[in-house]
């Protein structure tokens, strides 16, 4: 498990080359900045179609949208073949490339326990193509393909629990992180960097455009996602050992997270109550697993 | 040795560093041979057992980009599934080598429709006849693809069953000789963090004439013709075997008035037919087409000056358009002064057997057409 | 028509085309789609004609250039390809006489940002410039624009946008001949959208952060949260400073400052 760090321990040197092409206040651009800061120079960054393609002071390689897991595999095996496995194969993919079109290939790479690090910036929709739903989109969220109307309340189903699915591949390390908690994020990337085998960190990356809030509020939104229990921060090792990294005495009500985002503005009180109940139940399970230090998958 | 074993053996001789494949009949046994070779530690390589063809294509793409020598293989539907990343391998100018063990779409038996459907992916395409040619062509493919003048992936196609699973004698070259003839691959350009050119960071998006990448890619493939011929010569010098000039292989064309054009295993059957026809005094020869991409325009233009007829036996068809070799040949001949007769034959589709007597019929027809007699232009054999 | 992602240049071009269609004129609105992000400069084109518009290429030498963004309005590039004697309509608080663009063209100005902020509550300037367009060019009637707006924004949003158009119609100044004859020396590429690393994104900003270092308590929030690495940290003084060419003006730093040491200000000059 990662070790806590303080803000003073965060490296000053930057690995992203900016200004980049992301929108104002983009959570994904911040996720790239923080993660690559922690990784340092000896990595090859892997990309697939998504937004924004933050540029780093490292080489980049890329492939088709559906090929993320395979490309990492190829690089990692290739590096080993040429005797350069000191170089790390690191992905910076979107939720679409992780949860959906690239899911099969990443699952297979996890099953083979490839020596790769997958960083997913989860902005909970296909933002590059204009905010269409993905299986990372939370229930009731309005996107351009789950609009609200007499026959639709936004996305009908819950977000897919991808970190747990990958943990169930019994890989060395799976974690969640958030741009609202940079010390935690950097600690996790730093820790995962030097592990061997398949490692995945899913980073909550609020998107002002798709989530429909003022760009200045990206951190506020990220933080309240964690504080309400909707985006728990945790680590899972070998599919079994579990640790919650952020445990407030009391969770904030989910409405604090939902109401500033206009993607949820159509939600009724009943619907909010449903999300509240669901969140509380899941949080309960997580805290119990944390006490045990174990998950049963 | 069966055809698929010849392919796996070529991997070993070429000291492939990373191979990846997903089983599909009639390619399957290659994945098994490679797995066995890996398990026995026959040489220092990595075999990545993946969950599908798309992944196998992208795995070798990734490994090739950091500089490893790579191999993959597939058949019919598996090749179609690779279509999207094949474009990236092509555009990335990565010297990946792939064996395509032909399997049609309408059934499991071989025709050339699988590889033909990948014409636009920016690879070199070769079609070979027998197990020895598989082994030799794969070795040559590495040398061509990795040549700094080329850097283009190459697919080597051969028919399923009648070749992939058919046993025949194969001469295996000495490893030390191969090692000397085929030195290790060098990545171009390197993307290792300590070797990469930092000025390329963030470059590659837009800017410039968007047609240029297409032009340079096209030019590079057109340039493969000379390199292929040159490497055929060097192969013969080293190993004592040759297949025409690398682009085409003529068979008993010295005395021929007309030529049959065929690819793959049926070219072998055609050779037997040519022997019989010439014994009967019929002046029919064979031009075996080895390199479909790039297409040997110049060779055919030269032959058009010497023969009176070409009979093209296409083992694939683009429905609604016709046989691809026939179309490409007519395109190559259009500006010729002499109008050589051409006939189109559709044969071997869906794995239909093409027999010696079929080729005799083809020979008779093209002889007639060459004399100016009226025969139907298109024949379904 | 020049604007930035989120200002509605593409919609504005479509509203003009739709309004023209209402009046029986043939029209065409082409957006130049790259990968425009919110805030990134982008261009949209409109053709109006008495006969069906057949060519499907971008407009390379426009008669009229409309600029939705006050910072882009300072770039010579917005008038560089104008036909001689053409017209530029700029969103700026300045008078036409104060505009520093050179060449043979007429200049009109309208403070569309203020209109948008006051009528819509947001700096989406696309409709707030259309009233000025109608009045100054006389090419379209105000009613047709209003009709077209209701097609794109039904209901209350439409009414708000119509209010913006009407105010802009009233406040539009008459165009004058450009007064500066020499173009400013400094040229900035106004098409800086797209992927990769950009040089200067100053033109993306509506509001600009200013740090009051005396109030600053050195918590590093602004530094760690800036997505663009636009805030540099000085370990000796324990104070931040802003690299303005990288700042997109998102306001995140100001929002995260615990002591309000960062203020987002409207800088136009
Ligand atoms: C095979 C394929 N299908 C569709 C697309 C179009 N496409 C590009 S990016 C994208 C969405 C990306 O979503 P995500 O992975 O969540 O990343 P984000 O843009 O949200 O950062 C889509 C659908 C594509 N490039 N390739
Ligand atoms: S659409 Fe969202 S995720 Fe994409 S660049 Fe803009 S803010 Fe970032
Ligand atoms: S306004 Fe946004 S881009 Fe500018 S310095 Fe602050 S956080 Fe960075
Ligand atoms: S956030 Fe405010 S107090 Fe903290 S370092 Fe920045 S300016 Fe200073
Ligand atoms: Mg996404």
């Amino acid at each position: 498990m990662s070790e806590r760090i303080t803000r003073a321990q965060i490296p000053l040197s930057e690995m992203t080359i900016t200004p980049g092409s992301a929108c104002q206040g983009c959570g994904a651009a911040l996720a790239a900045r923080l993660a690559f800061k922690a990784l340092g120079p000896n990595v090859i960054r892997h990309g697939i179609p998504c937004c924004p393609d933050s540029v780093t002071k490292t080489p980049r390689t890329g492939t088709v949208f559906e090929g993320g897991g395979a490309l990492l595999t190829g690089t990692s095996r290739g590096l080993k073949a040429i005797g350069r496995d000191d170089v790390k194969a690191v992905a910076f993919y979107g939720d679409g490339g992780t949860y959906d079109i690239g899911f099969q290939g990443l699952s297979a790479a996890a099953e083979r326990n490839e020596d790769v690090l997958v960083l997913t910036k989860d902005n909970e929709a296909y933002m590059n193509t204009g905010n269409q739903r993905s299986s990372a989109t939370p229930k009731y969220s309005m996107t351009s393909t789950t609009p609200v109307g007499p026959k639709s309340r936004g996305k009908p189903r819950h977000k897919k629990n991808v970190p747990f699915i990958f943990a169930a591949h019994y890989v060395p390390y799976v974690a969640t992180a958030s741009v609202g908690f940079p010390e935690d994020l950097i600690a996790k990337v730093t820790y995962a960097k030097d592990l061997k085998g398949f490692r995945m960190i899913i980073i909550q990356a609020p998107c002002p455009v798709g989530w429909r809030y003022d760009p200045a509020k990206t951190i506020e939104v990220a933080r309240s996602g964690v504080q309400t229990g909707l985006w728990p921060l945790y680590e899972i090792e070998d599919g079994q050992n579990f640790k919650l990294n952020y445990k407030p005495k009391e969770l904030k009500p989910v409405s604090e997270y939902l109401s500033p985002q206009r993607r949820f503005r159509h939600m009724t009180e009943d619907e909010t109550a449903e999300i509240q109940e669901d969140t509380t139940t899941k949080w309960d399970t997580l805290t119990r697993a944390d006490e045990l230090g174990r998950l049963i998958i | 040795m069966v055809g698929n074993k010849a392919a796996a053996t070529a991997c070993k001789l070429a000291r492939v560093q990373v191979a990846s494949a997903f089983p599909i009949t009639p390619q399957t046994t290659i994945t098994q041979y490679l797995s066995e070779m890996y398990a026995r530690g026959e040489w220092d390589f990595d075999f990545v057992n993946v969950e599908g063809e798309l992944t196998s294509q992208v795995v070798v793409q990734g490994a090739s980009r950091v500089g490893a020598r790579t191999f993959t293989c597939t058949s019919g539907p598996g090749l179609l599934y690779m279509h999207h990343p094949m474009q990236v391998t092509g555009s990335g100018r990565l010297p990946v080598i792939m064996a395509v063990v032909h399997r049609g779409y309408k059934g499991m038996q071989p025709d050339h429709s699988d590889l033909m459907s990948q014409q636009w992916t920016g690879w070199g395409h070769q079609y070979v006849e027998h197990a020895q040619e598989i082994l030799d062509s794969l070795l040559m493919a590495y040398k061509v693809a990795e040549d700094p003048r080329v850097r283009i992936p190459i697919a080597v196609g051969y028919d399923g069953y009648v070749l992939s699973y058919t046993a025949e004698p194969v001469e295996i070259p000495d490893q030390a000789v191969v090692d000397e003839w085929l030195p290790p691959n060098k990545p171009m350009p390197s993307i290792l963090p300590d070797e990469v050119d930092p000025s390329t960071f963030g470059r590659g998006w837009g800017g410039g004439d968007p047609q240029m990448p297409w032009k340079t890619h096209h030019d590079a493939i057109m340039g493969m013709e000379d390199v292929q011929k040159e490497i055929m010569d060097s192969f013969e010098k080293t190993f004592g075997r040759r297949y025409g000039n690398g682009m085409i292989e003529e068979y008993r064309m010295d005395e021929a008035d007309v030529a049959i054009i065929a690819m793959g295993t049926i070219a072998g059957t055609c050779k037997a037919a040519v022997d019989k026809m010439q014994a009967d005094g019929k002046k029919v020869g064979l031009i075996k087409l080895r390199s479909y991409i790039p297409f040997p325009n110049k060779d055919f233009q030269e032959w058009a000056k010497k023969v009176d007829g070409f009979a093209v036996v296409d083992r694939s068809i683009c429905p609604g358009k016709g046989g691809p070799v026939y179309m490409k040949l007519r395109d190559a001949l259009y500006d010729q002064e002499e109008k050589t007769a051409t006939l189109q034959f559709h044969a071997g589709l869906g794995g239909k057997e093409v027999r010696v007597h079929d080729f005799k019929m083809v020979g008779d027809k093209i002889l007639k057409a060459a004399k100016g007699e009226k025969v139907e232009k298109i024949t379904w054999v | 028509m020049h604007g930035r992602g989120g200002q509605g240049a593409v919609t504005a071009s479509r509203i003009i085309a739709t309004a023209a269609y209402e009046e029986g004129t043939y029209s065409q609105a082409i957006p130049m789609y790259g990968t425009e992000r919110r805030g990134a400069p982008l261009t949209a084109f409109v053709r109006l004609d008495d006969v069906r518009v057949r060519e499907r290429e971008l407009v390379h030498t426009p008669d009229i250039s409309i600029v939705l963004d006050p910072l882009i309005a300072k770039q010579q590039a917005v008038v560089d390809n104008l036909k001689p004697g053409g017209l530029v309509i700029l969103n700026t608080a300045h008078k036409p006489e104060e505009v520093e663009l050179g060449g043979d063209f007429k200049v009109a100005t309208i403070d569309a940002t203020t209109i948008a902020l006051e009528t819509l509550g947001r700096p989406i300037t696309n409709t707030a410039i259309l009233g000025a367009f109608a009045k100054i060019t006389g090419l379209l009637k105000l009613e047709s624009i209003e009709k077209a707006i209701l097609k794109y924004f039904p209901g209350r949003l439409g009414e708000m946008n119509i209010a913006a158009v009407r105010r802009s119609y009233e406040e539009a100044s008459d165009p004058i001949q450009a007064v500066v004859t020499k173009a400013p020396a400094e040229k900035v590429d106004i098409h800086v959208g797209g992927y990769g690393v950009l040089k200067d994104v100053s033109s993306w900003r509506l509001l600009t952060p200013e740090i009051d270092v005396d109030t600053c308590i050195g918590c590093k929030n602004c530094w760690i949260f800036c997505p663009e690495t636009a805030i540099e940290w000085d370990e000796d003084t324990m104070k931040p400073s802003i690299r303005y060419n990288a700042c997109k003006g998102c306001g995140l730093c100001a929002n995260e400052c615990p002591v309000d040491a960062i203020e987002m200000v409207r800088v136009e000059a």
Side-chain angles (χ1 to χ4, degrees):
Chain A
M1 303 284 174
S2 66
E3 273 175 43
R4 270 172 195 276
I5 61 162
T6 64
R7 186 154 299 177
Q9 285 171 287
I10 296 179
L12 279 180
S13 62
E14 303 288 344
M15 287 303 293
T16 42
I17 309 179
T18 52
S21 55
C23 311
Q24 295 152 329
C26 173
L30 178 56
R33 178 186 162 215
L34 297 174
F36 282 90
K37 229 171 159 32
L39 287 165
N42 203 24
V43 304
I44 297 178
R45 175 172 53 97
H46 290 55
I48 49 174
C50 66
C51 73
D53 197 34
S54 294
V55 175
T56 51
K57 299 171 194 164
T58 66
R60 180 209 188 255
T61 180
T63 193
V64 293
F65 197 13
E66 62 275 25
L71 186 69
L72 283 165
T73 304
T75 306
S76 156
R77 301 285 187 122
L79 287 167
K80 201 167 126 234
I82 61 165
R84 284 302 306 269
D85 49 2
D86 59 303
V87 179
K88 315 256 178 238
V90 180
F92 194 72
Y93 298 159
D95 48 293
T98 309
Y99 288 59
D100 291 340
I101 196 167
F103 185 66
Q104 165 183 326
L106 279 166
S107 163
E111 186 269 335
R112 293 189 302 266
N113 197 24
E114 297 292 346
D115 187 19
V116 302
L117 172 57
V118 181
L119 302 173
T120 295
K121 38 138 179 157
D122 188 351
N123 53 22
E124 304 193 323
Y126 308 147
M127 293 308 175
N128 191 39
T129 37
N131 189 21
Q132 296 84 22
R133 60 143 271 162
S134 77
S135 57
T137 306
K139 190 169 181 182
Y140 294 123
S141 177
M142 181 167 63
T143 69
S144 62
T145 50
T146 53
V148 174
K151 283 183 164 180
S152 163
R153 300 293 307 155
K155 178 157 177 240
R157 290 281 302 153
H158 287 287
K159 183 181 177 81
K160 176 154 113 184
N161 191 345
V162 158
F164 272 59
I165 296 172
F166 277 87
H169 290 66
Y170 302 103
V171 292
Y173 189 72
V174 175
T176 59
S178 163
V179 292
F181 292 75
E183 290 83 357
D184 176 74
L185 193 166
I186 287 177
K188 284 171 176 166
V189 177
T190 310
Y191 177 69
K193 176 176 79 165
D194 295 321
L195 292 177
K196 281 272 165 206
F198 188 93
R199 298 142 281 160
M200 172 182 261
I201 303 175
I202 310 251
I203 307 169
Q204 180 210 31
C207 163
V209 177
W211 299 12
R212 307 183 63 191
Y213 63 84
D214 170 3
K217 309 269 187 222
T218 290
I219 299 305
E220 249 181 71
V221 167
R223 212 183 277 128
S224 76
V226 175
Q227 291 168 339
T228 55
L230 277 159
W231 190 278
L233 301 177
Y234 56 79
E235 294 167 288
I236 309 169
E237 287 191 339
D238 303 318
Q240 314 200 356
N241 305 327
F242 182 83
K243 184 176 173 187
L244 258 183
N245 308 102
Y246 177 85
K247 290 173 280 187
K249 285 204 191 68
E250 213 176 317
L251 290 182
K252 291 192 171 165
V254 293
S255 56
E256 264 191 40
Y257 174 73
L258 300 174
S259 50
Q261 302 178 49
R262 281 183 294 134
R263 62 174 171 158
F264 296 119
R265 79 171 156 184
H266 56 283
M267 284 175 70
T268 61
E269 268 176 36
D270 283 353
E271 286 164 346
T272 306
E274 178 203 327
I275 297 300
Q276 183 62 66
E277 196 186 317
D278 181 63
T279 310
T280 315
T281 313
K282 284 177 177 157
W283 180 257
D284 209 37
T285 316
L286 292 181
T287 46
R288 267 191 262 168
D290 181 57
E291 281 159 24
L292 263 179
R294 285 177 79 74
L295 274 186
I296 296 148
I297 294 184
Chain B
M1 180 180 281
V2 298
N4 282 354
K5 188 71 183 273
T9 306
C11 290
K12 179 179 175 184
L13 289 167
R15 294 194 184 277
V16 162
Q17 292 168 291
V18 178
S20 182
F22 186 74
I24 177 169
T25 307
Q27 158 265 32
T28 307
T29 56
I30 309 183
T31 65
Q32 294 168 348
Y33 295 135
L34 288 173
S35 301
E36 284 161 15
M37 290 165 151
Y38 175 78
R40 283 196 297 264
E42 288 196 17
W43 81 100
D44 186 18
F45 86 119
D46 208 351
F47 181 67
V48 192
N49 265 307
V50 292
E51 87 295 354
E53 288 86 354
L54 190 137
T55 294
S56 64
Q57 177 63 233
V58 180
V59 166
V60 292
Q61 183 183 99
S64 181
R65 196 170 281 144
V66 294
R69 181 170 289 157
T70 60
F71 175 81
T72 184
C73 51
T74 188
S75 292
L79 186 68
L80 298 199
Y81 185 35
M82 279 185 190
H83 177 72
H84 187 197
M86 277 178 70
Q87 311 254 7
V88 180
T89 309
S91 300
R93 309 283 302 271
L94 299 169
V96 166
I97 301 301
M98 169 161 68
V100 174
V101 189
H102 298 302
R103 160 173 168 172
Y105 310 158
K106 300 187 201 280
M108 302 255 279
Q109 291 293 325
D111 60 33
H112 297 163
S113 48
D114 53 3
L115 187 49
M116 278 296 166
S117 73
Q118 304 304 316
Q119 294 191 42
W120 296 62
T121 52
W123 289 49
H125 290 197
Q126 298 179 3
Y127 290 79
V128 302
E129 179 194 336
H130 50 75
Q132 183 74 57
E133 194 181 359
I134 295 174
L135 187 147
D136 294 346
S137 300
L138 286 170
L139 292 181
M140 283 190 276
Y142 282 106
K143 204 162 166 76
V144 173
E146 291 170 7
D147 190 295
R149 293 167 291 176
V150 177
R151 307 303 290 190
I152 292 289
I154 297 176
V156 176
Y158 61 89
D159 294 328
Y161 306 97
V162 288
L163 176 48
S164 68
Y165 293 164
T166 301
E168 57 194 61
V170 174
E171 205 178 295
I172 300 169
D174 187 39
Q175 181 71 59
V177 182
V178 178
D179 286 345
E180 195 180 330
W181 184 75
L182 185 64
N185 175 40
K186 281 211 179 64
M188 295 178 59
S190 172
I191 62 157
L192 294 174
D194 45 355
E195 293 174 8
V196 71
D197 171 5
S199 73
T200 59
F201 295 161
R203 222 195 275 156
W205 291 112
D209 179 351
Q211 285 202 139
M212 275 321 277
W214 286 100
K215 183 174 185 305
T216 45
H217 195 166
H218 175 68
D219 291 347
I221 295 185
M222 296 305 275
M224 283 169 81
E225 177 164 358
D226 290 341
V227 180
Q228 269 173 198
K229 288 178 177 175
E230 179 187 308
I231 284 168
M232 186 77 253
D233 291 343
S234 121
F235 186 84
E236 186 191 24
K237 230 184 261 163
T238 313
F239 302 100
R241 283 184 297 278
R242 75 176 296 129
Y243 304 92
N245 64 5
M247 300 290 292
I248 56 169
E249 179 193 333
E250 298 99 341
Y251 184 75
R252 299 193 65 179
M253 284 298 296
D254 297 346
E255 306 279 303
D257 292 338
V258 294
I260 297 175
I261 299 170
M263 303 196 295
T265 52
I266 62 170
T269 308
C270 186
K271 286 176 180 170
V274 163
D275 288 344
K276 291 207 161 71
M277 286 187 275
Q278 294 208 0
D280 294 344
K282 294 175 182 169
K283 297 191 164 183
V284 182
L286 164 73
I287 300 178
K288 180 173 100 182
L289 178 56
R290 282 179 38 87
S291 175
Y292 175 69
I293 299 177
F295 194 80
N297 294 311
K298 280 179 256 164
D299 289 313
F300 283 118
Q301 284 157 1
E302 285 309 309
W303 274 109
K305 294 176 192 158
K306 296 181 224 159
V307 297
D308 303 323
F310 290 117
V312 179
V313 182
D314 260 302
R315 203 176 189 176
S316 68
I317 183 165
C318 177
K321 271 176 83 188
V325 179
Y326 182 71
M327 288 188 278
K328 186 67 194 112
L329 178 81
R330 302 255 301 180
D331 159 53
L333 300 183
Y334 188 79
D335 291 329
Q336 293 296 105
E337 290 200 357
E338 56 290 324
K339 282 286 163 250
T340 315
T342 59
L343 294 179
Q344 160 90 84
F345 295 86
H346 297 299
L349 298 173
K352 186 174 179 183
E353 215 181 340
V354 189
R355 302 181 55 187
V356 172
H357 65 75
D358 294 322
F359 278 110
K360 285 183 167 175
M361 177 273 290
V362 171
D364 288 341
K365 277 203 173 171
I366 189 64
L367 281 170
K368 273 193 201 165
K371 282 190 210 118
E373 286 176 42
K374 224 177 142 54
V375 288
E376 63 211 41
K377 285 287 268 186
I378 300 173
T379 307
W380 286 79
V381 177
Chain C
M1 180 171 310
H2 303 280
R4 294 186 289 120
Q7 283 174 335
V10 174
T11 308
S13 70
R14 288 182 185 156
I15 290 173
I16 293 181
T18 307
Y21 174 81
E22 289 285 330
E23 295 185 9
T25 304
Y26 287 102
S27 61
Q28 181 192 52
I30 321 178
M32 193 168 82
Y33 270 116
T35 51
E36 66 276 7
R37 305 273 176 234
R38 181 184 285 186
L42 63 88
T43 311
F45 304 92
V46 188
R47 279 195 180 87
L48 302 179
D49 209 329
D50 299 334
V51 294
R52 180 175 287 280
V53 180
R54 302 221 183 256
E55 64 265 50
R56 201 165 288 272
E57 54 172 297
L58 306 182
V59 177
H60 294 277
T61 51
D63 296 296
I64 304 170
S65 171
I66 304 174
V67 189
L68 294 182
D69 186 84
L71 281 157
I72 295 177
K74 295 197 297 187
Q75 306 302 333
Q76 180 69 19
V78 301
V79 292
D80 267 355
N81 299 320
L82 264 183
K83 282 194 189 134
L87 165 71
V88 60
I89 304 175
L90 304 168
N91 168 20
T92 169
H94 294 289
K95 292 198 180 67
E97 296 77 17
E98 297 161 1
V99 170
E100 293 188 358
L101 299 174
D104 172 19
F105 53 83
K106 292 196 195 70
V107 187
T109 59
I110 178 82
D111 186 3
T113 305
T114 300
I115 295 176
L117 285 173
E118 288 176 14
T119 53
L120 306 171
R122 285 189 287 158
I124 303 178
T125 49
N126 60 346
T127 49
I129 209 159
L130 288 178
F133 170 80
K135 183 164 165 198
I136 295 162
T137 64
L139 285 170
L140 294 171
K141 294 200 206 71
L142 193 57
E143 302 88 79
S144 336
I145 292 190
E146 291 179 2
K147 253 196 209 159
I149 283 181
L150 285 176
K151 284 195 178 151
Y152 287 88
F153 307 104
R156 207 176 69 90
L157 195 56
E159 294 306 325
M160 281 158 67
N161 276 287
I162 286 176
V165 173
R166 289 196 181 148
R167 231 185 100 182
S168 129
Y169 190 87
E170 281 153 24
E171 289 181 16
S173 66
D174 280 335
I176 60 153
Q177 189 64 30
V179 283
V180 181
T181 46
K182 218 163 66 283
E186 190 204 0
K187 265 199 186 171
V188 177
D189 185 3
I190 56 166
H191 305 293
V192 292
Y195 270 115
V197 185
L198 311 176
K199 278 195 201 92
D200 188 340
V201 290
S202 298
S203 65
W204 291 38
R205 287 197 297 271
L206 177 71
L207 300 175
T208 300
E210 281 179 3
I211 303 179
D212 174 5
V213 282
D214 297 330
T215 316
C216 167
I217 54 167
C219 74
K220 274 188 172 176
N221 262 6
C222 53
W223 168 74
I224 196 66
F225 288 127
C226 173
E228 297 302 334
T229 325
I231 300 197
E232 288 180 337
W233 190 256
D234 186 332
E235 216 35 18
D236 298 330
T237 59
M238 291 298 281
K239 299 279 179 193
S241 63
I242 298 179
R243 198 158 58 95
Y244 281 105
N245 74 316
C247 169
K248 291 174 180 169
C250 66
L252 217 161
C253 50
N255 200 62
E256 293 311 313
C257 177
V259 291
D260 290 335
I262 305 179
E263 197 188 346
M264 298 302 293
V265 294
R266 215 173 130 187
V267 185
E268 268 199 35

